[in-house]
């Protein structure tokens, strides 16, 4: 048992958010409480991300800032977990000896036990970065920010070797959870009030492949569909090489519960760059997946990640990214400037696009996306959307904020009683980032 007051800071992707919520669930089950301010905490845990240099630098800043706190507060425990712990554990221990606990991505289920060892006086920093294949949170329920929304990790790791990416080093090889196990967790979540589940996998389309028993993502969707009380199922992240027509056919068939929103990063629109990135598909293949999806499931919308300024990217290559973005007409996109990651294959390639050019391409791609997002959002004006009301709007507490089936943010006037429920909202206005609407009925 622990009577810690915990402050948990999370960087990075949805997988990290899930891991944090599960670790928080374990600590809560062990008696911990959670505080809003690091200053009130007896235990500060940082769940880290290694994907881009910027996220790592922010973690190092936090560790420096917490040095004084550690020195002056008896019994205060500082822990680092997740991708940086996995990749840089030994370096962190040497550079920040005031850190007590360093827990890698595959040891997170052990966190309460490791914390107890620190509390019992084990030498610190205590380093736990073994790469065990299985990680099991048992029957723990995630400690969720919103009671009705949850992530659910269906697989860990990644077997791809995109040359720029650090994930295979930080999260190891692919390991899928069998359908009955996912079903059991989903059922526990729904019994606990969840109505929308987002299934997580680094390349969700290869879910089940390592189980060698014909398990697939679409079979999992079918298995989850009958859970009463589960209203919405989402999944991330899709891979253009692995995404299959069966998935879209299943989504169309399960229309009311399978949300028609696909986050499928192209990274680049240029074949030579895609080859250098080791992505395993061409621009043509990307377009074919989108076309098949739109034929089978016309409601579907796409979201993309882009890397600009990758090694060797010419103005012509970049123009191909711009034109792919315009051809697909993504609903939303995230643009990143290439940053070299240690230990990746691309580290050996020259980082030869000047920072100013990366910056300029970033701005141009983001502006092109913004224009398309605005046009696509405007095309929803007059349509009645099914919206899950998530909470009061940040800018105007008399309004509610929710998400449409295609994950668009929408603000509308409504009673707090609607929070956590599905509502029909007629769209009356749009910006590039969100919609505005009026209740059309409940
Ligand atoms: N530099 C810049 N962006 C990166 N991403 C992954 N690795 C890098 C890197 N080295 C981006 C990709 C990925 C997203 C999560 O982060 O676009 O889809
Ligand atoms: Fe990284 Fe590529 Fe795996 Fe995505 S698919 S996590 S970009 S290696």
């Amino acid at each position: 048992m622990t009577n810690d007051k915990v402050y948990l800071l999370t960087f990075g992707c949805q997988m990290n958010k899930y891991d944090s919520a599960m670790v928080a669930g374990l600590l809560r089950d062990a008696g911990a409480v959670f505080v809003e301010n690091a200053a009130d905490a007896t235990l500060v845990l940082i769940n880290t991300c290694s994907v881009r240099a910027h996220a790592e630098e922010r973690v190092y800043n936090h560790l420096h800032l917490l040095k004084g706190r550690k020195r002056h507060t008896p019994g205060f425990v500082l822990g680092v977990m997740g991708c940086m712990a996995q990749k840089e554990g030994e370096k962190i221990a040497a550079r920040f000896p005031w850190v007590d606990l360093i827990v890698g991505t595959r040891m997170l289920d052990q966190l309460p036990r490791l914390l107890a060892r620190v509390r019992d006086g084990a030498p610190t920093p205590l380093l736990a970065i073994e790469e065990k294949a299985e990680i099991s949170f048992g029957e723990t329920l995630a400690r969720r920010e919103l009671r009705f929304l949850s992530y659910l990790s269906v697989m860990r790791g990644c077997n791809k070797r995109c040359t720029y990416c650090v994930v295979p080093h930080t999260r190891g090889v692919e390991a899928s959870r069998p359908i009955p196990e996912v079903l059991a967790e989903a059922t526990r979540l729904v019994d606990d009030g969840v109505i929308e589940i987002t299934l997580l996998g680094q390349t969700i389309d290869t879910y089940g492949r390592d189980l060698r028993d014909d398990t697939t993502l679409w079979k999992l969707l079918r298995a989850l569909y009958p859970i009463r009380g589960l209203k919405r199922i989402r999944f991330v992240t899709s891979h253009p090489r692995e995404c299959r027509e069966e998935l879209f056919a299943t989504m169309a068939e399960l229309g009311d519960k399978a949300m028609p929103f696909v986050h499928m990063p192209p990274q680049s629109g240029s074949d030579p760059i895609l080859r250098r990135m080791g992505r395993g598909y061409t621009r043509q293949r990307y377009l074919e997946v989108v076309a098949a999806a739109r034929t089978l499931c016309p409601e579907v919308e796409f979201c993309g990640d882009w890397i600009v300024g990758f090694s060797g990217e010419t103005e012509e290559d970049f123009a191909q990214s711009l034109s792919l973005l315009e051809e697909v007409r993504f609903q939303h996109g995230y643009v990143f400037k290439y940053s070299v990651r240690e230990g990746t294959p691309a580290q050996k390639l020259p980082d030869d696009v000047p920072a100013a050019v990366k910056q300029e391409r970033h701005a141009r791609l983001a502006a092109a996306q913004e224009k398309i997002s605005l046009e696509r959002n405007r095309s929803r004006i007059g349509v009645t959307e099914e919206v899950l009301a998530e909470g009061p709007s940040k800018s105007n507490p008399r309004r509610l904020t929710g998400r449409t089936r295609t994950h668009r943010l929408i603000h509308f006037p409504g009673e707090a009683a609607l929070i956590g429920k599905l509502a029909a909202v007629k769209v009356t206005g749009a910006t590039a980032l969100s919609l505005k609407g009026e209740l059309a009925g409940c």
Side-chain angles (χ1 to χ4, degrees):
M1 285 302 282
T2 173
N3 47 16
D4 270 301
K5 293 186 201 154
V6 184
Y7 180 77
L8 181 54
L9 182 61
T10 304
F11 291 90
C13 62
Q14 290 103 333
M15 192 65 87
N16 266 19
K17 289 184 188 146
Y18 171 82
D19 283 341
S20 285
M22 290 309 269
V23 165
L26 288 175
L27 291 169
R28 172 205 58 210
D29 295 350
V33 293
F34 293 81
V35 293
E36 299 284 320
N37 287 313
D40 302 325
T42 57
L43 167 64
V44 170
L45 278 174
I46 309 182
N47 195 1
T48 57
C49 168
S50 293
V51 162
R52 286 173 297 276
H54 180 64
E56 289 198 344
E57 280 150 22
R58 287 175 64 198
V59 169
Y60 290 137
N61 282 341
H62 279 282
L63 296 181
H64 280 299
L65 290 172
L66 285 160
K67 181 178 182 182
R69 176 78 186 286
K70 177 69 199 166
R71 193 181 291 151
H72 301 300
T73 322
F76 174 74
V77 171
L78 175 59
V80 178
M81 60 191 209
C83 292
M84 279 173 75
Q86 189 70 46
K87 188 169 78 73
E88 310 280 338
E90 272 151 32
K91 268 194 231 158
I92 294 174
R95 241 182 96 190
F96 306 93
W98 56 92
V99 171
D100 298 289
L101 196 54
I102 300 172
V103 187
T105 49
R106 301 253 171 157
M107 297 291 281
L108 293 172
D109 48 346
Q110 305 295 313
L111 205 127
R113 186 179 63 81
L114 296 163
L115 175 65
R117 282 181 55 199
V118 170
R119 289 266 176 240
D120 286 346
T124 58
L126 185 63
L127 193 63
I129 54 173
E130 282 96 286
E131 275 218 24
K132 66 185 173 69
E134 299 284 324
I135 150 162
S136 166
F137 289 102
E139 303 231 319
T140 307
L141 274 177
R143 180 179 179 271
R144 305 182 298 277
E145 245 165 69
L146 296 173
R147 104 195 114 72
F148 44 87
L149 291 185
S150 186
Y151 291 120
L152 199 172
S153 157
V154 301
M155 63 196 294
R156 291 191 172 264
C158 179
N159 288 357
K160 301 269 179 251
R161 290 293 174 267
C162 302
T163 55
Y164 53 81
C165 184
V166 82
V167 166
H169 306 260
T170 61
R171 289 190 173 267
V173 294
E174 255 173 51
S176 304
R177 298 170 71 190
I179 289 182
E181 195 182 314
V182 177
L183 203 54
E185 184 169 335
T187 306
R188 284 199 300 276
L189 287 168
V190 172
D191 288 346
D192 198 52
V194 168
I195 67 168
E196 177 178 307
I197 289 180
T198 302
L199 307 173
L200 300 179
Q202 223 65 247
T203 56
I204 192 101
D205 307 279
T206 57
Y207 166 71
R209 207 174 276 177
D210 55 298
L211 298 174
R212 299 177 185 282
D213 63 355
D214 285 339
T215 298
T216 61
L217 178 58
W218 51 93
K219 286 187 184 162
L220 175 62
L221 292 181
R222 279 187 203 287
L224 293 171
Y225 187 80
I227 299 181
R228 281 186 57 195
L230 177 60
K231 302 271 173 48
R232 290 178 152 192
I233 310 170
R234 300 186 184 278
F235 53 87
V236 276
T237 306
S238 297
H239 193 291
R241 181 194 166 105
E242 308 294 352
C243 209
R244 297 282 179 270
E245 288 192 3
E246 285 93 329
L247 173 66
F248 299 110
T250 307
M251 284 167 68
E253 202 186 311
L254 307 181
D256 59 330
K257 284 197 185 183
M259 295 300 104
F261 182 70
V262 176
H263 185 168
M264 185 168 75
Q267 311 297 3
S268 169
S270 150
D271 285 343
I273 295 297
L274 287 171
R275 219 172 303 123
R276 269 164 98 81
M277 288 177 164
R279 291 287 288 172
Y281 55 87
T282 57
R283 172 197 181 84
Q284 185 56 29
R285 157 79 191 168
Y286 193 94
L287 288 168
E288 281 164 14
V289 175
V290 170
R294 286 186 169 148
T295 305
L296 290 163
C297 183
E299 229 193 324
V300 74
E301 296 270 9
F302 286 89
C303 170
D305 291 355
W306 302 89
I307 298 179
V308 295
F310 186 65
S311 172
E313 188 187 69
T314 61
E315 184 56 33
E316 209 174 289
D317 293 316
F318 174 69
Q320 293 281 306
S321 291
L322 264 179
S323 83
L324 182 63
L325 185 148
E326 276 157 7
E327 206 168 328
V328 173
R329 295 182 62 76
F330 291 86
Q331 176 189 311
H332 192 64
Y334 300 97
V335 187
F336 305 105
K337 287 178 271 183
Y338 174 56
S339 88
V340 182
R341 309 308 295 127
E342 212 182 298
T344 58
Q347 194 185 6
K348 298 200 185 76
L349 303 173
D351 184 15
D352 51 4
V353 178
V357 176
K358 285 183 185 170
Q359 181 61 42
E360 187 251 346
R361 289 182 186 165
H362 181 282
R364 278 160 69 198
L365 205 60
Q369 179 60 60
E370 194 178 322
K371 182 168 170 280
I372 291 171
S373 296
L374 179 61
E375 286 166 13
R376 289 199 81 105
N377 282 351
R378 280 197 177 136
S379 76
R380 304 305 291 175
I381 293 175
V383 175
T384 297
E385 299 269 11
E386 177 205 278
V387 172
L388 172 54
E390 292 186 2
S393 152
K394 280 191 192 112
S395 54
N396 179 349
R398 285 199 312 267
R399 288 177 174 270
L400 297 178
T401 291
R403 293 270 177 187
T404 67
R405 291 165 57 77
T406 55
H407 212 243
R408 288 181 165 98
L409 201 59
I410 182 161
H411 307 288
F412 57 101
E415 306 271 318
L418 275 178
I419 296 172
K421 301 210 169 76
L422 294 178
V425 180
K426 186 164 182 192
V427 181
T428 55
T431 67
L433 289 180
S434 66
L435 304 174
K436 213 169 68 175
E438 302 285 346
L439 277 175
C442 304

